[in-house]
Amino acid sequence: MTETKVSGQDLAKLAMIRSNVSSFLRSCGETFVVGSGERLLDVAPQDHEGAAPYFPTARISTFDIDPESGCDYIGDICKKNVNIADGYFSYVVCTEVLEHVRRPFEAVDEIERILKPAGLVFVTTPFNFRIHGPLPDCWRFTEYGLRELFSNFEILQLSPLEDIDRFLMPIQYTLVARKRA
């Protein structure tokens, strides 16, 4: 069996992605002040530090498809989760998830359903990064693809993490969008 090695380039990009996710969530926590006790759903946080350090006043719940994850809600973000009421959350954090879902439009529809009117979603997703786990790793989204995915929302911020060596090949995108009232 051949040993699989991760390239130095991929390790460097992974470090940039992780740092960018942290900076993005820190900025979101500071810019979009979460009122004390407002509900925030953190989608699939178990492999990362999650939203908790950046939104200390929020009532944070977690969500994952993996029944072994220990999350508060177990379900598929691409389907209606009957255990979550319409408009229940003020905020949804969805970092490095959308590339792994099988039906991203349905995932965004579910996020929209569970958000309150004028609720915010904070998203990160890689563009120029290798296939990675947890599998499946199905998608990469351009700025235009993200605008289409979130076309029912008001996009407040959509920013690339640029790769200085590759024109028009950002490493990752961050997005803040508001559910229309």
Side-chain angles (χ1 to χ4, degrees):
M1 180 173 220
T2 306
E3 183 180 331
T4 303
K5 294 186 180 184
V6 177
S7 74
Q9 178 182 359
D10 287 334
L11 291 173
K13 284 186 179 178
L14 178 60
M16 291 173 71
I17 287 170
R18 293 272 195 249
S19 175
N20 198 51
V21 169
S22 292
S23 295
F24 172 69
L25 290 178
R26 183 177 301 105
S27 174
C28 289
E30 293 168 356
T31 304
F32 304 98
V33 178
V34 176
S36 182
E38 286 191 86
R39 292 184 186 99
L40 181 149
L41 184 65
D42 194 357
V43 179
Q46 74 280 2
D47 291 334
H48 312 291
E49 66 184 328
Y54 306 104
F55 301 92
T57 62
R59 287 190 355 209
I60 296 176
S61 298
T62 55
F63 180 97
D64 200 288
I65 197 168
D66 180 1
E68 303 298 316
S69 67
C71 286
D72 301 306
Y73 296 96
I74 303 300
D76 184 342
I77 196 67
C78 298
K79 297 178 181 177
K80 182 174 181 177
N81 292 276
V82 296
N83 55 345
I84 302 175
D86 294 358
Y88 188 72
F89 290 99
S90 298
Y91 307 93
V92 173
V93 171
C94 186
T95 59
E96 307 305 291
V97 172
L98 291 178
E99 70 271 20
H100 297 286
V101 302
R102 294 181 191 272
R103 294 177 314 284
F105 283 91
E106 286 88 345
V108 174
D109 287 347
E110 180 64 353
I111 289 169
E112 181 180 14
R113 183 189 71 78
I114 65 176
L115 271 173
K116 291 181 177 183
L120 297 174
V121 60
F122 309 113
V123 174
T124 69
T125 189
F127 177 70
N128 181 15
F129 189 63
R130 68 181 183 85
I131 295 170
H132 61 280
L135 298 176
D137 185 350
C138 302
W139 310 101
R140 295 298 182 267
F141 302 100
T142 65
E143 171 186 346
Y144 308 101
L146 287 168
R147 288 186 186 282
E148 187 62 31
L149 266 178
F150 288 89
S151 63
N152 288 342
F153 288 74
E154 175 189 0
I155 295 176
L156 304 178
Q157 295 177 9
L158 178 54
S159 303
L161 173 60
E162 298 289 356
D163 183 336
I164 60 170
D165 296 323
R166 299 190 72 197
F167 179 66
L168 294 179
M169 281 296 288
I171 297 166
Q172 178 191 47
Y173 285 98
T174 59
L175 175 139
V176 178
R178 176 179 290 126
K179 179 179 175 176
R180 297 188 195 280

XYZ file of all heavy atoms in Angstrom, residues 86-143:
482
model
N -39.517 26.569 12.175
C -39.286 27.661 11.230
C -38.883 28.908 12.006
O -39.488 29.221 13.039
C -40.556 27.982 10.443
C -40.998 26.866 9.511
O -40.319 25.836 9.425
O -42.049 27.039 8.870
N -37.880 29.628 11.513
C -37.489 30.895 12.113
C -36.977 30.813 13.529
O -37.075 31.780 14.287
N -36.411 29.687 13.917
C -35.992 29.481 15.308
C -34.686 30.195 15.642
O -34.501 30.660 16.760
C -35.855 27.979 15.570
C -35.610 27.628 17.010
C -36.626 27.756 17.961
C -34.379 27.164 17.435
C -36.408 27.428 19.280
C -34.147 26.838 18.764
C -35.167 26.972 19.682
O -34.956 26.654 20.991
N -33.759 30.283 14.686
C -32.430 30.832 14.965
C -32.267 32.243 14.404
O -32.759 32.555 13.314
C -31.340 29.914 14.384
C -31.222 28.612 15.107
C -31.826 27.470 14.589
C -30.545 28.514 16.299
C -31.738 26.262 15.256
C -30.459 27.313 16.986
C -31.049 26.182 16.464
N -31.548 33.059 15.147
C -31.196 34.403 14.678
C -29.966 34.364 13.783
O -29.777 35.244 12.946
C -30.905 35.322 15.867
O -32.038 35.460 16.685
N -29.115 33.353 13.998
C -27.850 33.243 13.275
C -27.565 31.777 12.954
O -27.875 30.894 13.755
C -26.680 33.778 14.119
C -26.920 35.172 14.639
C -27.477 35.383 15.890
C -26.603 36.282 13.861
C -27.713 36.666 16.361
C -26.831 37.569 14.323
C -27.387 37.754 15.580
O -27.623 39.016 16.032
N -26.934 31.552 11.805
C -26.417 30.230 11.457
C -24.968 30.410 11.021
O -24.656 31.280 10.195
C -27.228 29.563 10.328
C -26.559 28.267 9.869
C -28.661 29.281 10.786
N -24.096 29.606 11.599
C -22.685 29.558 11.201
C -22.494 28.270 10.423
O -22.820 27.181 10.914
C -21.745 29.606 12.429
C -20.303 29.334 12.032
C -21.873 30.948 13.137
N -21.978 28.391 9.208
C -21.814 27.236 8.318
C -20.430 27.348 7.662
O -20.296 27.838 6.544
C -22.942 27.246 7.294
S -22.977 25.806 6.223
N -19.405 26.918 8.390
C -18.038 27.056 7.897
C -17.516 25.724 7.384
O -17.560 24.715 8.089
C -17.094 27.602 8.991
O -17.109 26.731 10.109
C -17.511 29.003 9.412
N -17.041 25.762 6.133
C -16.419 24.605 5.492
C -17.359 23.397 5.483
O -16.964 22.276 5.761
C -15.084 24.260 6.165
C -14.119 25.442 6.260
C -13.835 26.110 4.920
O -13.185 25.491 4.068
O -14.273 27.266 4.725
N -18.618 23.637 5.142
C -19.643 22.594 5.109
C -20.231 22.421 3.711
O -20.414 21.294 3.242
C -20.779 22.905 6.115
C -21.940 21.930 5.959
C -20.254 22.893 7.542
N -20.556 23.517 3.043
C -21.325 23.427 1.797
C -20.653 22.589 0.723
O -21.339 21.984 -0.105
C -21.643 24.826 1.264
C -22.639 25.622 2.098
C -22.832 27.007 1.500
C -23.960 24.882 2.212
N -19.339 22.506 0.730
C -18.664 21.672 -0.272
C -18.922 20.183 -0.041
O -18.713 19.368 -0.932
C -17.154 21.967 -0.322
C -16.361 21.499 0.878
C -16.272 22.510 2.003
O -17.107 23.433 2.075
O -15.353 22.359 2.836
N -19.382 19.827 1.160
C -19.587 18.418 1.509
C -21.034 17.950 1.353
O -21.287 16.746 1.403
C -19.141 18.163 2.946
C -17.689 18.408 3.159
N -16.713 17.550 2.706
C -17.039 19.437 3.743
C -15.520 18.024 3.025
N -15.693 19.183 3.643
N -21.967 18.868 1.203
C -23.369 18.440 1.102
C -23.672 17.978 -0.314
O -23.072 18.441 -1.278
C -24.342 19.556 1.546
C -24.059 19.991 2.978
C -24.335 20.729 0.592
N -24.593 17.070 -0.428
C -24.938 16.529 -1.748
C -25.849 17.468 -2.538
O -25.820 17.478 -3.760
C -25.581 15.162 -1.596
C -24.607 14.126 -1.049
C -25.263 12.773 -0.922
N -24.425 11.856 -0.177
C -23.485 11.086 -0.697
N -23.236 11.142 -1.983
N -22.788 10.275 0.065
N -26.660 18.250 -1.844
C -27.624 19.120 -2.503
C -27.531 20.529 -1.896
O -28.317 20.889 -1.012
C -29.029 18.535 -2.369
C -29.187 17.200 -3.123
C -30.543 16.551 -2.943
N -31.051 16.493 -1.576
C -30.631 15.637 -0.637
N -29.701 14.755 -0.906
N -31.156 15.660 0.569
N -26.578 21.325 -2.351
C -26.336 22.631 -1.705
C -27.523 23.593 -1.761
O -27.728 24.356 -0.813
C -25.127 23.188 -2.451
C -25.080 22.444 -3.739
C -25.657 21.103 -3.473
N -28.317 23.571 -2.829
C -29.468 24.472 -2.879
C -30.467 24.125 -1.782
O -31.039 25.013 -1.146
C -30.137 24.454 -4.261
C -29.370 25.241 -5.287
C -28.407 24.624 -6.072
C -29.585 26.598 -5.437
C -27.690 25.347 -7.006
C -28.875 27.338 -6.377
C -27.915 26.713 -7.161
N -30.684 22.829 -1.553
C -31.584 22.404 -0.482
C -31.012 22.762 0.893
O -31.763 23.112 1.806
C -31.884 20.906 -0.571
C -32.827 20.544 -1.709
C -32.110 20.281 -3.031
O -30.919 20.637 -3.183
O -32.749 19.731 -3.942
N -29.700 22.691 1.040
C -29.067 23.076 2.307
C -29.323 24.552 2.597
O -29.686 24.925 3.719
C -27.573 22.781 2.260
N -29.155 25.395 1.592
C -29.391 26.828 1.780
C -30.876 27.091 2.031
O -31.223 27.945 2.849
C -28.825 27.639 0.595
C -29.206 29.115 0.713
C -27.301 27.487 0.542
N -31.751 26.344 1.376
C -33.188 26.472 1.655
C -33.494 26.150 3.117
O -34.308 26.830 3.751
C -34.008 25.540 0.753
C -34.084 25.999 -0.687
O -33.715 27.160 -0.993
O -34.497 25.168 -1.533
N -32.857 25.120 3.653
C -33.089 24.750 5.052
C -32.533 25.817 5.987
O -33.159 26.148 7.000
C -32.499 23.368 5.360
C -32.682 22.904 6.786
C -34.129 22.686 7.245
O -35.090 23.012 6.508
O -34.304 22.193 8.379
N -31.380 26.361 5.667
C -30.830 27.454 6.477
C -31.804 28.633 6.463
O -32.089 29.226 7.507
C -29.431 27.851 5.964
C -28.421 26.742 6.288
C -28.987 29.196 6.564
C -27.071 26.900 5.606
N -32.333 28.945 5.302
C -33.295 30.045 5.201
C -34.541 29.752 6.047
O -35.055 30.626 6.751
C -33.693 30.257 3.744
C -34.661 31.403 3.542
C -35.046 31.616 2.090
O -34.785 30.730 1.235
O -35.639 32.667 1.814
N -35.013 28.521 6.001
C -36.221 28.150 6.753
C -36.028 28.323 8.251
O -36.909 28.823 8.948
C -36.608 26.696 6.455
C -37.921 26.271 7.151
C -38.172 24.783 7.040
N -37.274 23.984 7.848
C -37.378 23.796 9.170
N -38.349 24.361 9.859
N -36.506 23.025 9.808
N -34.901 27.917 8.768
C -34.699 27.938 10.229
C -34.260 29.302 10.757
O -34.269 29.515 11.968
C -33.727 26.827 10.691
C -32.327 27.041 10.148
C -34.279 25.450 10.330
C -31.297 26.028 10.642
N -33.875 30.211 9.848
C -33.512 31.566 10.270
C -34.753 32.427 10.471
O -35.713 32.346 9.703
C -32.636 32.239 9.212
C -31.137 32.037 9.313
C -30.448 32.641 8.087
C -30.562 32.608 10.593
N -34.691 33.285 11.478
C -35.718 34.299 11.667
C -35.670 35.289 10.507
O -34.621 35.436 9.878
C -35.453 35.072 12.969
C -35.654 34.285 14.212
C -35.385 35.151 15.428
C -35.670 34.340 16.684
N -35.505 35.148 17.898
N -36.746 36.011 10.241
C -36.667 37.095 9.272
C -35.553 38.070 9.692
O -35.416 38.394 10.871
C -38.040 37.763 9.357
C -38.946 36.648 9.819
C -38.098 35.834 10.771
N -34.747 38.473 8.745
C -33.577 39.339 8.954
C -32.450 38.625 9.702
O -31.462 39.254 10.081
C -33.946 40.650 9.637
N -32.560 37.300 9.884
C -31.482 36.536 10.500
C -30.271 36.472 9.573
O -30.385 36.646 8.360
N -29.118 36.214 10.161
C -27.864 36.221 9.410
C -27.254 34.831 9.321
O -27.322 34.049 10.277
C -26.846 37.153 10.081
C -27.211 38.628 10.153
C -26.178 39.393 10.973
C -27.322 39.218 8.755
N -26.636 34.555 8.179
C -25.857 33.329 7.996
C -24.423 33.746 7.706
O -24.170 34.686 6.953
C -26.438 32.427 6.885
C -26.481 33.114 5.537
C -25.675 31.106 6.803
N -23.482 33.061 8.342
C -22.047 33.283 8.174
C -21.464 32.021 7.545
O -21.527 30.942 8.146
C -21.384 33.563 9.521
C -22.061 34.651 10.316
C -22.702 34.358 11.507
C -22.054 35.960 9.874
C -23.326 35.353 12.248
C -22.676 36.965 10.607
C -23.315 36.664 11.805
N -20.901 32.151 6.341
C -20.478 30.996 5.555
C -19.023 31.137 5.142
O -18.576 32.224 4.777
C -21.345 30.883 4.271
C -20.849 29.775 3.358
C -22.806 30.680 4.620
N -18.294 30.025 5.182
C -17.002 29.930 4.505
C -17.019 28.652 3.691
O -17.641 27.652 4.081
C -15.798 29.896 5.474
O -15.802 28.664 6.203
C -15.815 31.072 6.437
N -16.348 28.703 2.548
C -16.242 27.514 1.714
C -14.995 27.625 0.845
O -14.671 28.703 0.349
C -17.516 27.299 0.859
O -17.464 26.028 0.221
C -17.725 28.394 -0.152
N -14.250 26.530 0.692
C -13.044 26.589 -0.127
C -13.374 26.634 -1.611
O -14.423 26.157 -2.034
C -12.314 25.290 0.223
C -13.399 24.342 0.573
C -14.455 25.183 1.242
N -12.472 27.210 -2.365
C -12.572 27.161 -3.820
C -11.357 26.447 -4.394
O -11.474 25.430 -5.049
C -12.714 28.561 -4.414
C -12.747 28.540 -5.919
C -13.850 28.029 -6.575
C -11.686 28.998 -6.664
C -13.883 27.976 -7.967
C -11.714 28.951 -8.047
C -12.807 28.440 -8.701
N -10.184 26.941 -4.110
C -8.947 26.371 -4.652
C -8.254 25.563 -3.559
O -7.270 25.992 -2.977
C -8.053 27.497 -5.172
C -6.756 27.001 -5.765
O -6.600 25.831 -6.060
N -5.806 27.905 -5.912
N -8.832 24.411 -3.252
C -8.258 23.526 -2.237
C -8.555 22.086 -2.635
O -9.568 21.808 -3.263
C -8.840 23.833 -0.850
C -8.140 23.114 0.266
C -6.796 23.353 0.541
C -8.813 22.196 1.037
C -6.148 22.689 1.561
C -8.175 21.518 2.060
C -6.829 21.768 2.328
N -7.694 21.189 -2.233
C -7.788 19.782 -2.631
C -9.042 19.113 -2.079
O -9.673 19.604 -1.162
C -6.555 19.025 -2.151
C -6.481 18.894 -0.641
C -5.208 18.149 -0.216
N -5.162 17.971 1.214
C -5.745 16.984 1.887
N -6.419 16.063 1.251
N -5.655 16.901 3.186
N -9.376 17.982 -2.633
C -10.452 17.152 -2.101
C -10.053 16.734 -0.694
O -8.901 16.365 -0.434
C -10.685 15.923 -3.002
C -11.198 16.377 -4.375
C -11.648 14.941 -2.348
C -11.241 15.275 -5.409
N -10.999 16.814 0.229
C -10.686 16.538 1.631
C -11.913 15.961 2.329
O -13.022 16.012 1.805
C -10.212 17.825 2.332
C -11.241 18.897 2.340
N -11.484 19.703 1.249
C -12.114 19.295 3.295
C -12.442 20.560 1.537
N -12.857 20.322 2.771
N -11.696 15.427 3.501
C -12.765 14.846 4.291
C -13.356 15.859 5.242
O -12.806 16.932 5.422
N -14.480 15.501 5.839
C -15.151 14.220 5.685
C -15.796 14.097 4.304
O -16.334 15.069 3.783
C -16.200 14.213 6.787
C -16.468 15.659 7.069
C -15.198 16.393 6.779
N -15.689 12.925 3.754
C -16.259 12.674 2.437
C -17.767 12.481 2.562
O -18.235 12.053 3.609
C -15.600 11.436 1.831
C -14.085 11.580 1.604
C -13.508 10.281 1.095
C -13.762 12.731 0.670
N -18.512 12.846 1.558
C -18.061 13.248 0.241
C -17.639 14.720 0.210
O -18.091 15.523 1.023
C -19.296 13.042 -0.640
C -20.449 13.311 0.285
C -19.995 12.789 1.634
N -16.783 15.041 -0.703
C -16.385 16.417 -0.991
C -16.866 16.669 -2.412
O -16.247 16.223 -3.365
C -14.867 16.568 -0.861
C -14.408 17.999 -1.021
O -15.209 18.856 -1.417
O -13.216 18.263 -0.765
N -18.004 17.334 -2.539
C -18.743 17.370 -3.806
C -18.570 18.631 -4.639
O -18.732 18.575 -5.853
C -20.239 17.220 -3.524
S -20.694 15.714 -2.659
N -18.301 19.787 -4.027
C -18.455 21.047 -4.735
C -17.335 22.033 -4.438
O -16.728 22.018 -3.377
C -19.772 21.729 -4.326
C -20.948 20.847 -4.393
C -21.567 20.219 -3.349
C -21.662 20.467 -5.564
N -22.630 19.479 -3.808
C -22.706 19.624 -5.167
C -21.523 20.773 -6.923
C -23.610 19.077 -6.076
C -22.418 20.228 -7.819
C -23.451 19.392 -7.385
N -17.179 22.973 -5.368
C -16.441 24.212 -5.174
C -17.313 25.307 -5.755
O -17.916 25.137 -6.820
C -15.068 24.196 -5.874
C -14.095 23.171 -5.314
C -13.770 23.468 -3.847
N -12.815 22.535 -3.293
C -13.134 21.424 -2.641
N -14.414 21.079 -2.495
N -12.205 20.640 -2.145
N -17.398 26.429 -5.045
C -18.264 27.522 -5.467
C -17.446 28.758 -5.806
O -16.581 29.158 -5.043
C -19.256 27.881 -4.345
C -20.113 26.723 -3.931
C -19.809 25.995 -2.802
C -21.210 26.354 -4.694
C -20.583 24.914 -2.422
C -21.995 25.276 -4.319
C -21.681 24.553 -3.186
N -17.768 29.358 -6.933
C -17.212 30.652 -7.286
C -18.051 31.733 -6.607
O -19.115 31.454 -6.030
C -17.253 30.886 -8.810
O -18.632 30.941 -9.218
C -16.516 29.784 -9.569
N -17.604 32.969 -6.732
C -18.398 34.096 -6.236
C -19.787 34.075 -6.865
O -20.795 34.290 -6.192
C -17.696 35.408 -6.593
C -18.523 36.636 -6.334
C -17.878 37.914 -6.824
O -16.666 37.915 -7.135
O -18.612 38.917 -6.904
